Amino acid sequence: MNDYFIYTDKMTVGYSGKPLIKDIEIRVNKGEILTLIGPNGAGKSTILKSITRQLGLIAGTVYLDGKTMERMTDKEVSRKLSVVMTERLNPELMTCEDVVGTGRYPYTGRLGILSDTDRMKVREAMEMVHARELADCDFTQISDGQRQRILLARAICQEPEIIVLDEPTSFLDIRHKLELLTILKQMVSERNVAVIMSLHELDLAQKISDLVVCVNGNKIERYGSPEDIFSGHYISELYHVTRGSYNEAFGCLELEAPKGKAEVFVIGGNGSGIALYRKLQRRGIPFAVGILHENDVDYQVAKALASQVISVKAFEPIDEKAFQQAAAVLEQCGEVYCCLTEYGTMNQRNRELKEYASEKQLLKEYRK
């Protein structure tokens, strides 16, 4: 227990005395990011609210820096832990700078009057999240994405040793998602802060987390590193994916392949065919792909979207068997597109496959 900055010992959480998830053990050290993932309604927010004392525990204990949180005062907790939750905060007649300034209350006197040092820390926090221009804006009049940045600034201003965030990237565009996560990573590496958060964006969870907790049903189903969690089709099982797929190698979703016999054959490789695969999928046209090496970036996408993929092992030249198989499938398709512009030692036979399609008068001009 004393080896971890925050530790939950057989924690049971729920509402109105009714258990939702039992025997939760989460262990996080300073300088680590732990992310909760799982289906909607699995209980991720409930776990976070229970850790931060917004919900009472049904059973178990939460330890913060070696102390039982239940026995700590609000001020003791708030000097170590800050919270960014998804609930809407609607303070009346408060500017964004005022809201960020509330993060200094654990350090002010009873009247909550900010010192010059406090105001400097408020400005620094707002600059860190690129929100200084919002200082004088009414907090209730800004966008959801801007609110999220202001609430993060408030948490940073609190100078915590651990930050707990519930879906912090909600409402943010791509730029601000990346900026927010970069700020968290910076705080972890430079200030040795611990972070516990929930995320729906699996690709981001896979890239930023040191530890991942998988919440499913009434239990913690898996707990480990991203390398352990994002492997072997587990994510599809966790989210009960039946339409489309999740590519754990790339950290991206793919829609399901068009149904039916292949109407188009695509000669691709080295990433050249991905755009066409997705274009055909969008149009609902079933297609076949070849000849791909199994370590080719095209192979991962083609495997998810194509009705058939003719492939050979990595680092091996295309053999006669694969060529004949591709030629046979190609002849059954009404159109052939070649996305390749260059050929190397290992895929010379794709050039022959293109020439074969041309001889059969099946080759069409490929335009991106």
Side-chain angles (χ1 to χ4, degrees):
M1 177 184 68
N2 293 329
D3 293 336
Y4 299 98
F5 185 70
I6 192 164
Y7 173 87
T8 66
D9 184 18
K10 296 188 178 299
M11 181 174 74
T12 297
V13 303
Y15 296 89
S16 303
K18 184 178 180 181
L20 178 64
I21 306 172
K22 299 179 180 179
D23 296 330
I24 302 166
E25 294 197 2
I26 292 175
R27 304 169 294 278
V28 186
N29 258 324
K30 288 185 179 181
E32 291 182 337
I33 296 177
L34 180 144
T35 305
L36 278 65
I37 65 172
N40 288 334
K44 301 183 294 296
S45 296
T46 304
I47 291 173
L48 296 181
K49 289 178 181 177
S50 300
I51 289 175
T52 58
R53 305 202 305 189
Q54 295 180 35
L55 277 177
L57 298 181
I58 294 176
T61 309
V62 179
Y63 296 93
L64 178 61
D65 199 14
K67 298 179 181 178
T68 305
M69 280 186 66
E70 187 179 13
R71 298 176 181 173
M72 297 173 69
T73 66
D74 289 342
K75 179 163 280 192
E76 285 177 318
V77 172
S78 61
R79 286 192 173 189
K80 290 184 176 293
L81 182 149
S82 63
V83 182
V84 180
M85 289 293 182
T86 52
E87 283 85 355
R88 283 188 172 274
L89 181 69
N90 288 306
E92 294 185 5
L93 304 177
M94 288 183 72
T95 67
C96 291
E97 188 169 35
D98 293 334
V99 172
V100 176
T102 63
R104 297 304 301 165
Y105 286 176
Y107 306 96
T108 63
R110 291 183 178 179
L111 297 178
I113 298 174
L114 302 186
S115 66
D116 290 342
T117 299
D118 291 325
R119 294 190 183 284
M120 179 187 70
K121 291 184 181 296
V122 169
R123 289 193 296 271
E124 289 175 351
M126 295 189 75
E127 287 168 1
M128 194 170 184
V129 300
H130 308 289
R132 192 74 189 98
E133 73 281 1
L134 299 174
D136 297 325
C137 296
D138 184 332
F139 182 77
T140 62
Q141 300 301 312
I142 61 176
S143 71
D144 288 331
Q146 290 170 328
R147 285 183 180 221
Q148 202 77 334
R149 284 190 283 151
I150 293 299
L151 294 178
L152 178 60
R154 182 182 67 168
I156 293 170
C157 191
Q158 202 171 317
E159 295 186 298
E161 295 178 73
I162 179 168
I163 302 180
V164 179
L165 310 99
D166 188 16
E167 299 295 343
T169 52
S170 297
F171 313 117
L172 298 181
D173 58 31
I174 294 173
R175 171 196 164 187
H176 290 108
K177 283 181 195 288
L178 294 173
E179 283 185 356
L180 183 144
L181 295 178
T182 299
I183 290 166
L184 290 179
K185 198 69 178 176
Q186 183 179 341
M187 293 186 71
V188 166
S189 60
E190 296 180 3
R191 303 188 187 185
N192 204 32
V193 171
V195 172
I196 299 178
M197 62 180 167
S198 61
L199 282 178
H200 275 307
E201 295 95 333
L202 296 179
D203 56 332
L204 299 180
Q206 186 174 1
K207 293 173 176 66
I208 196 173
S209 309
D210 297 297
L211 296 164
V212 179
V213 173
C214 304
V215 187
N216 192 17
N218 61 350
K219 63 182 178 180
I220 301 297
E221 192 169 77
R222 283 198 187 185
Y223 186 131
S225 69
E227 293 73 27
D228 293 331
I229 301 300
F230 293 89
S231 62
H233 306 293
Y234 170 68
I235 294 299
S236 293
E237 296 171 12
L238 173 64
Y239 286 89
H240 310 291
V241 175
T242 56
R243 308 289 296 269
S245 61
Y246 179 77
N247 189 307
E248 292 167 329
F250 290 171
C252 66
L253 298 171
E254 297 292 353
L255 298 175
E256 62 182 341
K259 291 180 171 56
K261 183 181 177 182
E263 301 172 14
V264 173
F265 191 96
V266 182
I267 304 170
N270 197 32
S272 65
I274 292 176
L276 181 55
Y277 306 156
R278 290 184 172 143
K279 185 176 183 179
L280 291 168
Q281 191 280 336
R282 288 195 301 272
R283 294 181 175 179
I285 301 172
F287 63 96
V289 179
I291 304 166
L292 299 176
H293 286 86
E294 292 178 358
N295 64 336
D296 195 306
V297 66
D298 268 31
Y299 180 73
Q300 295 289 339
V301 181
K303 194 169 58 170
L305 300 183
S307 58
Q308 186 175 357
V309 180
I310 295 91
S311 63
V312 294
K313 292 187 179 300
F315 310 114
E316 295 289 337
I318 297 172
D319 57 25
E320 182 63 21
K321 179 180 177 182
F323 179 85
Q324 292 299 332
Q325 182 183 3
V329 174
L330 178 153
E331 286 192 54
Q332 300 300 313
C333 297
E335 298 178 350
V336 177
Y337 294 90
C338 182
C339 302
L340 293 170
T341 57
E342 296 179 345
Y343 302 87
T345 305
M346 296 300 180
N347 74 334
Q348 277 297 321
R349 301 216 68 178
N350 274 333
R351 187 199 298 271
E352 295 179 33
L353 195 61
K354 176 184 177 182
E355 293 169 354
Y356 182 76
S358 181
E359 291 173 6
K360 294 291 182 180
Q361 298 183 334
L362 297 171
L363 187 66
K364 307 296 181 181
E365 184 179 358
Y366 173 55
R367 294 178 180 176
K368 292 186 179 179

